[in-house]
Amino acid sequence: MTEVIERGRRAFAEQAWADAFDHLSAAAEDSPLEFDDLERQAEAAYLVGRLDESVDLWATAHHECVRRADMPRAARCAFWLAFILLNRGQLAQGGGWVERGQRLLDERELDCVEQGYLRYCTALRLVFEGDVTAARAGFSEAVKIGGRFSDPQLETLARIGEGRCVIYMGEISKGVALLDEGMVAVGAKEVSPVAVGDAYCTVIEGCHEVFDIRRTQEWTTALSLWCEAQPQLVMYRGLCFLHRAEVMELRGEWSAAMDELENALTRLADPVSARELGAAYYLRGELHRLRGEFDEAAQAYRQANEMGHEPQPGLALLRLAEGRIEAAMAAIRRVLEEADDPISRSRVLGPYVEIALAAGDLEAGKAAAEELSVIAGDLGSLFLQAVAEYATGATLLAENDPRSALVLLRRAWMHWRDLEAPYQAARVRVPIALACRALGDGEGAEMELDAAHSVFKDLAATPDVRKVLELSQVGVAPAAGGLTAREVEVLLLIAAGKTNRAIATELVISEKTVASHVSHIFTKLNLTSRAAATAYAYEHDLV
């Protein structure tokens, strides 16, 4: 039996978590494990995703410590129990273990580092309950206790927790600096594997929240390398796949992102991690929407919603792509009204501008673009700055100010290029083309549309490919049926099933002007209906 235990210890030291758990479990069937081995078994169970068994083992370890009157160690076991339960959303049970651990220390007036670990869990529960101010104070106190007892693991966890709270409270640069400082101990390998995985995922989520793309990518790469070094790791691997998929989606690697998502969904489903599973389904919906797979996108958004993840703004953008403008506007307005902090609002304002302009509500679009610009300036995010410049440029186009719009749109394009975000960069080229066309630069407009079309085609972004082809004059005889270039554009949009309002929004002209173009088209081509105009466009290879 000693040999089996030694194999378990070696496997644990080599981070072969499944082997460690199996060997130690086999040894425990014959006789109780020594306390250190029991802790190894509990930690290995967690890392291979056997969370219920890990909870049972930590509870056994806790009771053994109480029996031995080793109250600091009993409190440390209570911390790990609370850590697991709180992160699973079981706040009452997790809070109960914190209270038990605290009582054991307080009854004996013990001043030990475990006081800090329990403060950390109390603060973590406050975060989940929405009391960020009190949570920040708790994390800060835990950092001080960790420093006083020279415990880098406690300092790491608590400093990262404090950083997230500081970000929630609007002090972005200070919060990000705390995240960076907290990760120093992770790089120096001064914390346990459970704490390392939690630190990576928490920091990546924090950077993602504030649109810090470069940090998100850097820490995601580091997490990937850490996971790959432990083939038997189950916990955190699903989140690793999810975060990698998010990075790939931004870089335009959509097929690879979908593959990573399938891996994430499998890993996150067992053990079930509803919050992360919802985020994975939402990203799947986004990829389907961008590729024009609307039914699949709607299903993914529904699955995200079932897991408690808000399916907006993706679902509203899906309705917009389907031409259901009123439904899209109602949804995005509702979400914006519910968003009560700058970070939450910043995720909705860009899509809100797009949908408001499509609905013909220029004033609402302008107000949203202005608010987004202010938030982008406060957060100092290059990503969000590009979104704000795109939104403001679109509103200026709608106001018939193409020259001013062009300045902002080109700036947005340069930002997306620097962020290596090909889809977003190509998307900005479309309004740039419209601005060039409005300024009389037809050749410049076609070059921008050609460049956008090439990227969209490579990405299989079907809706965007279709839109560019509708707007482009390439291959269209200028005098087809005696129509002007603008009338050909309107005819192509009629053939695509667009209403006069939608055509006006897309071409940045008034509905009255569209109606005039439609009338001229009907007269010149001797047509009497939009259906006949659509048939004409197809018969003459204009579509």
Side-chain angles (χ1 to χ4, degrees), residues 11-58:
F12 188 91
E14 294 167 1
Q15 298 186 324
W17 309 119
D19 292 345
F21 178 77
D22 290 342
H23 291 316
L24 292 171
S25 296
E29 289 178 3
D30 289 335
S31 60
L33 296 176
E34 293 181 13
F35 187 80
D36 287 348
D37 291 323
L38 182 57
E39 284 192 331
R40 290 187 183 98
Q41 186 187 16
E43 187 170 350
Y46 181 83
L47 292 168
V48 296
R50 306 176 78 142
L51 302 192
D52 290 336
E53 289 170 80
S54 182
V55 167
D56 290 342
L57 290 166
W58 280 118

Side-chain angles (χ1 to χ4, degrees), residues 209 211 312-313 332-353 364 367-376 379 384 387-388 391:
E209 281 178 344
F211 309 96
Q312 303 293 356
I332 202 71
R333 184 185 295 114
R334 187 268 302 171
V335 176
L336 186 59
E337 288 171 354
E338 290 180 3
D340 58 1
D341 65 272
I343 291 175
S344 298
R345 293 181 70 79
S346 66
R347 294 190 177 279
V348 182
L349 286 166
Y352 183 93
V353 172
E370 289 170 4
E371 181 183 354
L372 182 58
S373 296
V374 171
I375 295 174
L379 293 181
L384 203 56
V387 176

Side-chain angles (χ1 to χ4, degrees), residues 161-235:
E162 184 182 4
R164 291 291 297 276
C165 290
V166 169
I167 288 171
Y168 289 142
M169 297 171 72
E171 301 176 66
I172 308 300
S173 9
K174 182 176 180 180
V176 170
L178 285 169
L179 298 184
D180 287 347
E181 184 180 355
M183 292 303 288
V184 169
V186 171
K189 300 180 180 179
E190 296 172 348
V191 300
S192 71
V194 174
V196 168
D198 184 78
Y200 272 128
C201 293
T202 304
V203 167
I204 290 169
E205 287 176 4
C207 294
H208 186 72
E209 281 178 344
V210 296
F211 309 96
D212 193 328
I213 302 304
R214 298 196 189 285
R215 276 189 173 84
T216 299
Q217 294 178 345
E218 180 179 342
W219 291 124
T220 296
T221 299
L223 172 61
S224 297
L225 293 172
W226 181 74
C227 287
E228 288 164 7
Q230 305 166 79
Q232 296 181 6
L233 181 70
V234 174
M235 287 301 295

